[in-house]
Amino acid sequence: MTAVAKSTDPRQAWSRGGGLSQARQSAPSQPDGTKTMTTSSVIAWWRAVLVIACLAVAVIAPLVLNENRQSVERVNVATQQMLRLETVRSDLLGAEAAATQALLMATDGQAPDAGYLGLADSASAELIAAAAASPSDSLALQQINTALGHYLAQLSVAMKTGSQNDMRQASEVLVNDLLPLLDTQIAAHTAVLESQGDNQQWLIAVLAVPVLLLVVASVVVARRTRRVVNLGLMLGLAAAIASLVIVTQLVTTTAMSISAVQTSGVTQAAAVAKAHAAVTEAKAIEGRMLLGITDSASGAQAYADATGQASDALTELGSADATDRLSQMISTHDQLVAATDPPSPELVASAQEPYDWLVSWLADQSSTIGNEVDADLSGHAATVEAQAILVAGIMVIAAVSSVAGLSGSLRRYR
């Protein structure tokens, strides 16, 4: 009877193994004789996994979002640079148109009006601004600037001599040397705008990983510890979900912003630039025709092509007033060409009115579109930069909360 009492005394069974702590550490056996992980080992394992996952996302997400911000900034820079170079192109064609008109209006013994110099100065200023805004274009813009200097020098000679041959040489420098260089740079920046940005939807899946791990960890720990709620894990889960929501919104809105610029902003900007260039080119062609630099047949065809391009672009912009002004410009051009040689100063001045209106309106449209695109994309880039830092901070909080929540449970089961 005494032996039976000793073998069934629970105090003796607990005293040799270190009490309750060792009992909790003992691993239950499976029917096949293998042992599962102890509760403390499971908690420690999950703690390490959650810390690694949360901190990894805290590093990866800001890096990817920084690429996101740079994509937005590249689109903005390309848009503004394209508009600047298109302005340079239009100003130069406008300068030639103004120069030919000045020669037509000049009377014997009177020096031609030098109003073309204002447009030449505007083109030079825009070219300087383009070089400052995009250092990577410096070599190409230097070549354009050299050709610009050559053109303005030749144009100045033509204005002093009034010679058709000198004016023809100036026009050839513009058409054959300067404009092709500008068109190449404009095409390069347009290609950047038309190219699709990197798809960063995968970042959303990366942010979902710590969310899923925290959910699984909460279930596993609850079953092991018989406690439904672990405050640390719940706080970490809330932080991870908040980061997921923020990143999803940023990635989505960035794609939408770039798409809006590509489909709407760039389309509008390209239409304005195309119309501006076509209108000024048509006016320059008109001047060459009236001065006898270009023959009537080839000049008429070139003028029709330029005004056709302008009409298509203005139709895309949807301005009835601008379309009417272009019609007036074409009508007065026909009168100038049909007039006795030389056309009267009154007719030349009348033909100038619709052209001046169009050039002024298109310049305002270009400036407005450029400012709107810059405001939208610059604001979004700043938002992405700030939110990237926020996401990193939130995921660090998620990691700390998870460690704190599991460390308390781990201390109880060791």
Side-chain angles (χ1 to χ4, degrees), residues 152-225:
L152 293 179
Q154 189 62 47
L155 185 60
S156 178
V157 171
M159 294 301 289
K160 288 180 180 179
T161 63
S163 168
Q164 291 183 357
N165 185 55
D166 289 337
M167 192 67 201
R168 181 181 293 108
Q169 290 181 15
S171 297
E172 288 175 353
V173 172
L174 176 65
V175 174
N176 298 330
D177 298 340
L178 185 50
L179 294 185
L181 291 174
L182 278 168
D183 290 340
T184 299
Q185 280 303 107
I186 291 170
H189 288 287
T190 302
V192 173
L193 296 176
E194 293 175 349
S195 64
Q196 295 293 328
D198 295 334
N199 188 343
Q200 295 182 326
Q201 297 293 325
W202 60 270
L203 182 59
I204 299 174
V206 172
L207 265 293
V209 171
V211 173
L212 295 175
L213 290 176
L214 282 161
V215 170
V216 174
S218 298
V219 173
V220 171
V221 172
R223 289 179 177 178
R224 287 278 184 163
T225 63

Side-chain angles (χ1 to χ4, degrees), residues 44-373:
W45 185 85
W46 273 108
R47 183 177 64 174
V49 169
L50 293 179
V51 168
I52 293 172
C54 291
L55 293 182
V57 171
V59 174
I60 294 173
L63 292 177
V64 176
L65 290 176
N66 185 59
E67 289 292 328
N68 185 295
R69 175 186 60 80
Q70 291 177 356
S71 297
V72 173
E73 291 178 344
R74 280 195 298 269
V75 170
N76 191 20
V77 168
T79 302
Q80 303 306 321
Q81 196 74 335
M82 182 195 72
L83 291 173
R84 290 188 193 97
L85 295 176
E86 288 284 10
T87 299
V88 172
R89 192 182 194 281
S90 299
D91 283 346
L92 291 175
L93 286 167
E96 174 147 337
T100 56
Q101 187 203 30
L103 291 175
L104 287 171
M105 297 286 288
T107 58
D108 292 339
Q110 180 185 11
D113 181 74
Y116 75 95
L117 289 175
L119 288 168
D121 290 341
S122 175
S124 298
E126 285 293 332
L127 198 59
I128 292 172
S134 181
S136 60
D137 293 341
S138 59
L139 181 59
L141 295 181
Q142 185 177 0
Q143 294 175 342
I144 293 173
N145 190 55
T146 300
L148 174 59
H150 186 197
Y151 167 66
L152 293 179
Q154 189 62 47
L155 185 60
S156 178
V157 171
M159 294 301 289
K160 288 180 180 179
T161 63
S163 168
Q164 291 183 357
N165 185 55
D166 289 337
M167 192 67 201
R168 181 181 293 108
Q169 290 181 15
S171 297
E172 288 175 353
V173 172
L174 176 65
V175 174
N176 298 330
D177 298 340
L178 185 50
L179 294 185
L181 291 174
L182 278 168
D183 290 340
T184 299
Q185 280 303 107
I186 291 170
H189 288 287
T190 302
V192 173
L193 296 176
E194 293 175 349
S195 64
Q196 295 293 328
D198 295 334
N199 188 343
Q200 295 182 326
Q201 297 293 325
W202 60 270
L203 182 59
I204 299 174
V206 172
L207 265 293
V209 171
V211 173
L212 295 175
L213 290 176
L214 282 161
V215 170
V216 174
S218 298
V219 173
V220 171
V221 172
R223 289 179 177 178
R224 287 278 184 163
T225 63
R226 302 289 188 255
R227 293 190 178 186
V228 177
V229 177
N230 185 300
L231 292 179
L233 291 180
M234 290 299 101
L235 181 58
L237 179 60
I241 292 174
S243 295
L244 177 61
V245 172
I246 292 172
V247 169
T248 301
Q249 183 181 19
L250 287 177
V251 171
T252 303
T253 54
T254 295
M256 292 174 60
S257 296
I258 293 177
S259 177
V261 171
Q262 291 173 330
T263 58
S264 177
V266 172
T267 299
Q268 293 289 306
V272 169
K274 180 181 178 181
H276 199 176
V279 166
T280 51
E281 184 171 7
K283 196 64 177 176
I285 292 169
E286 177 183 271
R288 297 181 201 129
M289 291 175 63
L290 295 175
L291 288 174
I293 297 173
T294 302
D295 63 88
S296 299
S298 60
Q301 183 60 51
Y303 186 87
D305 292 341
T307 52
Q309 293 175 4
S311 179
D312 293 340
L314 292 176
T315 300
E316 191 171 354
L317 292 173
S319 173
D321 288 343
T323 302
D324 290 342
R325 297 285 181 167
L326 180 63
S327 298
Q328 294 174 23
M329 178 179 159
I330 295 172
S331 177
T332 54
H333 166 78
D334 294 337
Q335 296 176 34
L336 283 172
V337 173
T340 57
D341 192 21
S344 66
E346 292 79 14
L347 185 56
V348 173
S350 176
Q352 188 71 17
E353 291 179 4
Y355 167 76
D356 288 340
W357 188 94
L358 279 170
V359 169
S360 177
W361 182 79
L362 289 167
D364 290 341
Q365 292 297 306
S366 178
S367 177
T368 299
I369 291 172
N371 290 336
E372 289 177 353
V373 170

